[in-house]
Amino acid sequence: MLMVLFPTVMLLPTIWLSPSTQLWTSALAYSVAIALISLSWLCFPMETGWSSVNTFIATDPLSTPLLVLTCWLLPLMILASQNHMAEEPINRQRTYISLLISLQIFLILAFGATEMIMFYIMFEATLIPTLIIITRWGNQTERLNAGVYFLFYTLAGSLPLLVALLLLQNSTGSLSFLTTQLFPPLQLHTEASKFWWAGCMLAFLVKMPLYGAHLWLPKAHVEAPIAGSMILAAVLLKLGGYGMMRIIIILDPLTKQLSYPFIILALWGVVMTGSICLRQTDLKSLIAYSSVSHMGLVAAGILIQTPWGFTGALILMIAHGLTSSALFCLANTNYERTHSRTMLLARGLQMVLPLLATWWFMFTLANLALPPLPNLMGELMIITSLFNWSNWTLLLTGAGTLITASYSLHMFLTTQRGPTTSPILAIEPTHTREHLLMTLHLLPLLLLIFKPTLIWGWAL
Amino acid sequence: MNPYVLSILLMGLGLGTTVTFASSHWLLAWMGLEMNTLAILPLMAQHHHPRAVEAATKYFLIQSAAAATILFASSTNAWLSGQWDIQHITHPLPTVMITIALSLKLGLAPLHAWLPEVVQGLDLTTGLVLSTWQKLAPFALLLQISPEIPLLITSLGLISMLAGGWGGLNHTQLRKVLAYSSVAHLGWMMVVMQFSTSLTALALLMYVIMTTSAFLTFKLLKSTDMNSLAMSWAKTPSVTALAPMMLLSLGGLPPLSGFLPKWLIIQELTKQELGLVATVAALSALLSLFFYLRVCYCLTFTSSPNNLAGVAPWRLESKQISLPLATSTSLSILLLPISPAILSLTLPLF
C-alpha cells in the first residue's frame, strides 16, 4: 500500500519542481508507473481477504478493483487535460495537476481505510479538490452553482453519517472494518434505530446518486473540465457504492424493512433518467444522466444484499467507471474543437473524424451493455438477482435496458451518422494523444472479459 | 496613535485578561473585565470616524450592562451563600444571571445583535482583538463556573449556531460575516461546555487561530467587502491560493483543522445521548459554510484564466509583517493529522 501511496505523495514535489517543458511528460510518466505498481494489489493471497495490511490501511477484494481504477485514472486525466490547460500560466497548470494528485491521495486513503472515521474523513476530503476543479476551471457561469449543489448535497447527506458513525462507536467500541463484519448483530429495535439506519445510508445514496437526490450530478458533471468529469464519473460515484457495501453488512436486519423505498427509487430512477437522456440536447448532460441510470442499478443491486447483487454492483461500478470516463473524453474531443456541448452542432462526425467514430462505436456498445464486455456481466447479475428478489422488478429493469440501448443509439447516431454541418468540416483531425486515451480506457475493459474474477469482490 | 498611549492601552488589555484569569474572587474578575472594556474603547475610537465612535459607544453600553449584571449576580450569590468564590456558585439564580451576562459579553445568541454592528465599525486589527482576545476572559469565567443548567446552555448553543448561520447569509461586508461566524463558533463552544470544558477550550483555541488568519488575510488584501477581494489574485497569488483552505477550515470541512473541534464535540454529544442535538448542530454548520464558500468564490474561484496585464492594480510591497499570517494560516489548515497532540494541549486545563 505504501508502495503506491508514497510515490503519489511525492508526485506533488515532482510537479512543482519540474521545469516547465517537462511538466506534463513527467507527471504522465510517473503516474503511469504508479498505476502499474498498483496492479500488484490484484493478487489476493490472504485467507481472511484483507491483504497489504498495516495499522491504518489495507486492501481486500472489494476495495482493490476500485483502488486500481483510481490509480489507472490519474494518467488518463493528465492525458486528457493536456490540451485545454496548455495556454494557462505555468503555475496554474501545476496547481491543477496538484489538485488531481491530491484527489488521488485522498481516494487511495479512502478506499484503503480500515477504520470508518478515516474513510469518512477521506470521503469528505475528496470534496475540496473536486470543488476547486469544478468552480475554478469549469467553463461556464453555471459552474459556481454546480459547485454549491455538489458540496451541499454531499455534505447534507454525510453530516448525519458522522453522527451515526460516532453513535455506532459508542455501542460497539470500535469502528474498524476488519472487526465490524464479525460482530454479533446489533439490537436495532427502537424507532431511533430507523433514523440511525437512514443516517448511515443517506450519505452514500446521495453520492451514488439515488434518483431523488441526484440533482447535483448533471450540474457537476457538465460544468467540470474534462479531468473533473472523468474523476467524478469514474471514481467519486463509486465511493458512494463502496461505502454502502461496507456499511450495509452491519445494518442487517433493519435493511429488510427499510430499504424498500430506496430500491424502488433506484429502479424508477433507472427508467426516468434513461428517458431524460432521450430528450437531452447537451452531450455531457446526456452522459451524466446515463451515469445516474447505471448507478441506480448499482444501488438496487447493493440494497437487496445478495451475493450476486453485490458482485454485479462491483463489476458494474468498474465497467461503468471506464465507459463513462471514456464517453466524457469523447465528448471533450468535440468540445475542444467546437467549444460547444450541443449535440446538433457537431453532427455527422464520422465523415470528418472517422477514426474517432470507431471509439464512439465501441464505447456506445459498452454503455448499452453489449456482451461479452463486463458491463453486461454486471447488469445481468444485478437484473437476475433483482428478479429473484421480486419478479416484478423485471418490468423496470427490462424497460431500463431498452431505454439505455435507445439513448446510446441516439447519441451515436446523432453525433456520428447523418449530415455533417458545414462548420464542422474545418476542425482538427484527431490527435494521437486522444487515440491513446481511448485505448487506455478500452484495454482494461477488454482484458477484464478474460478474467472477471479480478473484479468480482468477495461475495462469490 | 501615539506609541506610548498605544502601549498603555495594550498593556491594559493584557492586564485585564490576566487579572480575570488569575482571580478567584468575583470582584477581582469583574475588575479585569472592566479593564478590558475600558482599554479597548480608545482603540476602537482611535480613528475618530463617526462609525468607529458609534461602534465604541455600542460596545461600551453592552459591556457595561453585562458587567453590571455580573456585579449584581455575584452580590446576590454573596448574599445567598456568604462567599465570593468564583467556583462555588451553587444557587441557580446567580448562576443563570451570570451565564446570561457572560453570553451578552461574548455575543452569544439571542444576545448577539450588537456584535455585527460593532465589528463593522472597527478597523480589521481592532476587530481581530475584539473577536479573539476579548473572548478569553469571559470564557475563563464560564469554564470555571461550568453551569449545570442543561436547558439554558444547550439552547444558548443551538440558537447561536442557527442565528450565526442564518444571520450571516445575506452580507457582503466581510467584518459582518466574520462577526456572524463568531456567533456560530461560540454556539459550538457553548453546547459542549457542560460535558467537557477541555473541548470548549479546544474549540476556542481553534477558533482563535482560524479567525486570526481570516482577519490578517483581509488586512493584507486591504479589503473589507467581497467586491474588493476580486483582484487579490493579482496582488498576492499565494494568499489567494491558501485563503480558501482557511475559510473552508472555518466552515469545518475535513481534512482541515476546523473539522477537529466539530468532530470531537459531536462525539461528546453522542456519548451523552444527545444525537438529535448533534445532528442539528452538524447541519447548522452548513449554513455558515455557505457564506464562507461565497467569500471563497469571490476571492479565488472566480479569478481570471490568464494574467490580465492591463487591468492589474498596483502591486506595492505590503508593510504587514507576514509571520503571524503565515503561522495562523498553516495551523488552521494542517492540524488535523496531529489531533491527539492538539487535544492534549487543552485536556489538562480543566
Side-chain angles (χ1 to χ4, degrees):
Chain A
M1 173 62 77
L2 289 179
M3 260 196 325
V4 172
L5 192 57
F6 274 1
T8 315
V9 172
M10 293 310 287
L11 265 182
L12 286 170
T14 312
I15 295 307
W16 283 96
L17 296 172
S18 296
S20 60
T21 47
Q22 297 170 11
L23 174 63
W24 289 91
T25 326
S26 55
L28 184 61
Y30 289 118
S31 46
V32 167
I34 294 174
L36 292 175
I37 298 175
S38 73
L39 291 175
S40 67
W41 284 327
L42 285 171
C43 26
F44 310 122
M46 296 288 128
E47 268 281 311
T48 60
W50 292 95
S51 38
S52 314
V53 178
N54 69 37
T55 333
F56 305 108
I57 38 185
T59 61
D60 81 333
L62 174 56
S63 57
T64 306
L66 293 163
L67 276 165
V68 176
L69 179 64
T70 310
C71 295
W72 187 251
L73 213 72
L74 183 61
L76 268 50
M77 286 195 283
I78 293 175
L79 263 179
S81 312
Q82 257 178 295
N83 196 16
H84 77 88
M85 290 298 289
E87 286 101 34
E88 299 234 355
I90 187 69
N91 280 344
R92 304 247 172 117
Q93 296 183 18
R94 291 190 213 265
T95 314
Y96 191 71
I97 306 180
S98 309
L99 283 168
L100 299 179
I101 295 170
S102 57
L103 250 182
Q104 171 93 332
I105 299 171
F106 291 139
L107 283 167
I108 294 178
L109 288 171
F111 284 124
T114 52
E115 212 251 343
M116 289 194 214
I117 295 285
M118 168 86 147
F119 172 71
Y120 176 82
I121 293 183
M122 293 304 144
F123 176 86
E124 299 279 284
T126 58
L127 293 178
I128 298 180
T130 319
L131 173 74
I132 299 177
I133 293 176
I134 295 176
T135 51
R136 174 60 186 77
W137 273 281
N139 284 310
Q140 277 78 33
T141 349
E142 288 83 19
R143 69 188 197 275
L144 302 174
N145 209 17
V148 172
Y149 265 71
F150 169 67
L151 191 66
F152 282 86
Y153 263 72
T154 317
L155 280 176
S158 58
L159 284 169
L161 174 66
L162 179 63
V163 180
L165 286 180
L166 291 169
L167 281 168
L168 182 63
Q169 190 173 34
N170 290 338
S171 60
T172 61
S174 151
L175 284 179
S176 171
F177 284 137
L178 301 167
T179 50
T180 49
Q181 299 171 6
L182 307 167
F183 280 167
L186 297 166
Q187 301 301 317
L188 296 172
H189 306 302
T190 65
E191 273 301 302
S193 316
K194 300 201 166 108
F195 286 102
W196 176 79
W197 183 94
C200 285
M201 297 292 279
L202 196 61
F204 305 119
L205 290 171
V206 169
K207 191 85 175 166
M208 283 201 79
L210 187 68
Y211 176 59
H214 70 290
L215 285 179
W216 64 271
L217 187 138
K219 290 184 162 57
H221 276 82
V222 166
E223 301 302 330
I226 180 60
S229 295
M230 287 170 75
I231 194 71
L232 267 169
V235 187
L236 290 176
L237 302 185
K238 316 324 185 226
L239 260 181
Y242 171 75
M244 208 150 80
M245 287 169 84
R246 286 285 189 211
I247 205 158
I248 210 168
I249 300 169
I250 47 175
L251 293 178
D252 232 8
L254 206 48
T255 315
K256 290 205 195 64
Q257 314 158 10
L258 292 179
S259 61
Y260 275 96
F262 299 108
I263 300 179
I264 296 172
L265 262 179
L267 291 175
W268 184 237
V270 173
V271 172
M272 282 305 290
T273 48
S275 319
I276 293 174
C277 284
L278 284 169
R279 296 287 297 169
Q280 284 297 325
T281 54
D282 180 340
L283 184 55
K284 277 183 91 166
S285 193
L286 195 154
I287 305 172
Y289 275 107
S290 99
S291 279
V292 182
S293 178
H294 289 284
M295 295 308 283
L297 211 50
V298 171
I302 299 175
L303 283 167
I304 56 175
Q305 303 175 273
T306 59
W308 271 38
F310 266 38
T311 311
L314 185 58
I315 300 178
L316 186 54
M317 284 203 284
I318 305 296
H320 169 259
L322 289 165
T323 314
S324 202
S325 171
L327 284 172
F328 275 116
C329 290
L330 287 169
N332 188 49
T333 60
N334 281 357
Y335 184 78
E336 282 180 2
R337 286 162 176 75
T338 60
H339 284 292
S340 162
R341 297 193 300 261
T342 314
M343 275 198 291
L344 292 177
L345 286 182
R347 262 184 307 164
L349 288 174
Q350 188 169 16
M351 282 290 120
V352 189
L353 300 172
L355 295 175
L356 211 57
T358 318
W359 299 121
W360 273 104
F361 187 56
M362 311 281 312
F363 286 109
T364 310
L365 292 178
N367 200 24
L368 53 86
L370 188 80
L373 291 167
N375 305 61
L376 174 77
M377 185 173 209
E379 284 197 12
L380 206 54
M381 291 178 97
I382 297 179
I383 293 177
T384 317
S385 57
L386 275 171
F387 182 67
N388 181 40
W389 178 76
S390 158
N391 294 0
W392 295 101
T393 57
L394 193 63
L395 294 173
L396 287 170
T397 51
T401 316
L402 187 62
I403 297 178
T404 307
S406 327
Y407 70 68
S408 301
L409 190 63
H410 162 68
M411 179 176 70
F412 179 69
L413 291 178
T414 313
T415 53
Q416 304 301 117
R417 299 287 162 84
T420 314
T421 54
S422 40
I424 302 297
L425 295 171
I427 56 179
E428 288 177 7
T430 328
H431 303 178
T432 316
R433 174 186 62 88
E434 291 162 352
H435 284 304
L436 178 62
L437 192 58
M438 295 300 123
T439 318
L440 289 178
H441 276 107
L442 191 62
L443 214 50
L445 266 181
L446 294 178
L447 289 175
L448 280 172
I449 303 175
F450 300 111
K451 191 156 172 67
T453 56
L454 291 176
I455 52 174
W456 264 357
W458 33 227
L460 277 189
Chain B
M1 186 181 253
N2 187 343
Y4 299 113
V5 176
L6 184 62
S7 64
I8 291 180
L9 293 173
L10 289 177
M11 281 199 288
L13 262 184
L15 188 60
T17 305
T18 314
V19 162
T20 309
F21 275 11
S23 64
S24 54
H25 193 289
W26 269 114
L27 286 181
L28 194 61
W30 168 80
M31 206 168 81
L33 292 172
E34 289 286 84
M35 282 170 66
N36 261 353
T37 311
L38 291 174
I40 204 175
L41 286 175
L43 285 174
M44 287 183 173
Q46 64 184 313
H47 296 294
H48 301 294
H49 190 266
R51 187 66 182 84
V53 173
E54 176 192 339
T57 316
K58 282 181 184 164
Y59 186 73
F60 173 66
L61 290 173
I62 298 290
Q63 300 289 307
S64 319
T69 314
I70 293 177
L71 199 55
F72 178 50
S74 49
S75 312
T76 311
N77 183 52
W79 182 259
L80 288 171
S81 65
Q83 43 82 31
W84 290 89
D85 216 21
I86 290 184
Q87 287 166 332
H88 293 140
I89 292 207
T90 45
H91 198 278
L93 174 63
T95 313
V96 171
M97 274 201 292
I98 289 191
T99 311
I100 294 181
L102 288 171
S103 329
L104 179 57
K105 260 208 182 291
L106 286 170
L108 273 166
L111 302 162
H112 65 289
W114 60 274
L115 191 59
E117 297 165 24
V118 170
V119 180
Q120 177 65 23
L122 307 173
D123 57 303
L124 285 165
T125 322
T126 319
L128 170 61
V129 172
L130 173 60
S131 298
T132 53
W133 186 256
Q134 297 289 70
K135 307 272 185 261
L136 294 179
F139 256 110
L141 293 174
L142 265 176
L143 290 174
Q144 286 182 321
I145 307 172
S146 287
E148 294 284 328
I149 312 155
L151 182 61
L152 177 66
I153 305 293
T154 317
S155 50
L156 274 175
L158 276 180
I159 295 176
S160 293
M161 290 186 227
L162 294 169
W166 265 309
L169 278 181
N170 208 19
H171 289 290
T172 54
Q173 290 292 321
L174 292 170
R175 289 168 287 183
K176 284 214 171 94
V177 163
L178 286 174
Y180 280 105
S181 114
S182 177
V183 174
H185 278 97
L186 287 171
W188 278 93
M189 294 177 220
M190 275 303 264
V191 94
V192 80
M193 196 165 65
Q194 40 189 333
F195 305 122
S196 168
T197 50
S198 54
L199 282 182
T200 306
L202 173 71
L204 181 61
L205 174 67
M206 293 305 307
Y207 164 71
V208 163
I209 295 175
M210 295 188 292
T211 309
T212 308
S213 178
F215 271 101
L216 288 176
T217 307
F218 297 141
K219 190 156 171 270
L220 179 73
L221 299 171
K222 289 203 179 51
S223 54
T224 52
D225 64 32
M226 291 198 199
N227 272 333
S228 51
L229 284 176
M231 283 311 279
S232 49
W233 63 269
K235 296 180 205 164
T236 51
S238 49
V239 168
T240 309
L242 283 177
M245 298 292 114
M246 177 269 299
L247 286 164
L248 293 176
S249 182
L250 261 174
L253 278 189
L256 307 164
S257 347
F259 179 60
L260 178 62
K262 292 195 162 60
W263 171 17
L264 294 174
I265 290 175
I266 294 181
Q267 186 173 42
E268 187 61 39
L269 287 174
T270 54
K271 279 192 194 145
Q272 304 286 339
E273 311 284 323
L274 285 176
L276 187 58
V277 172
T279 315
V280 172
L283 290 174
S284 71
L286 286 180
L287 291 167
S288 346
L289 182 64
F290 185 75
F291 54 75
Y292 297 131
L293 189 65
R294 197 162 53 201
V295 179
C296 291
Y297 276 7
C298 296
L299 183 59
T300 319
F301 297 157
T302 49
S303 52
S304 162
N306 331 88
N307 293 319
L308 300 176
V311 298
W314 286 104
R315 293 184 69 167
L316 302 169
E317 193 183 327
S318 166
K319 290 285 183 293
Q320 179 173 322
I321 306 171
S322 59
L323 183 61
L325 175 59
T327 321
S328 52
T329 308
S330 320
L331 290 177
S332 64
I333 297 175
L334 296 171
L335 284 181
L336 195 67
I338 52 171
S339 313
I342 306 302
L343 188 56
S344 69
L345 280 177
T346 56
L347 217 42
L349 263 181
F350 294 99

